[in-house]
Amino acid sequence: MPAVLAIVDRGYKKSAWLAGDAISIADFFLMPVVAYLARMPDGPLLLDATPHLRRALAAMRERPSFSATEPTGRFA
């Protein structure tokens, strides 16, 4: 998992969103998965090594549509 997250993190290093400066279907597909990962027991530790991916997740969480549908709490 860390190797895959590192690849995705490099993608977000180049621009604000995965496919460029504008949000795309790639971000809409990936960010819910990342949000679920963040709520898993090891999720925060895994995401600690991915600053660009964390930044993108934070930006996505600021979108009203995402914040209105994102589950709350942690998963065991």
Side-chain angles (χ1 to χ4, degrees):
M1 179 71 76
V4 173
L5 292 174
I7 291 167
V8 175
D9 189 61
R10 283 195 302 270
Y12 280 106
K13 181 179 181 180
K14 298 174 187 173
S15 59
W17 299 106
L18 197 54
D21 291 330
I23 197 167
S24 72
I25 193 72
D27 304 296
F28 289 127
F29 175 79
L30 182 62
M31 283 299 124
V33 176
V34 175
Y36 274 98
L37 172 65
R39 287 173 163 47
M40 300 303 281
D42 291 338
L45 181 63
L46 290 168
L47 292 174
D48 276 349
T50 59
H52 308 292
L53 181 55
R54 286 194 328 265
R55 176 202 37 82
L57 178 58
M60 183 66 83
R61 283 179 168 155
E62 295 200 14
R63 296 180 61 84
S65 61
F66 192 86
S67 63
T69 59
E70 184 178 12
T72 58
R74 293 189 54 101
F75 300 120

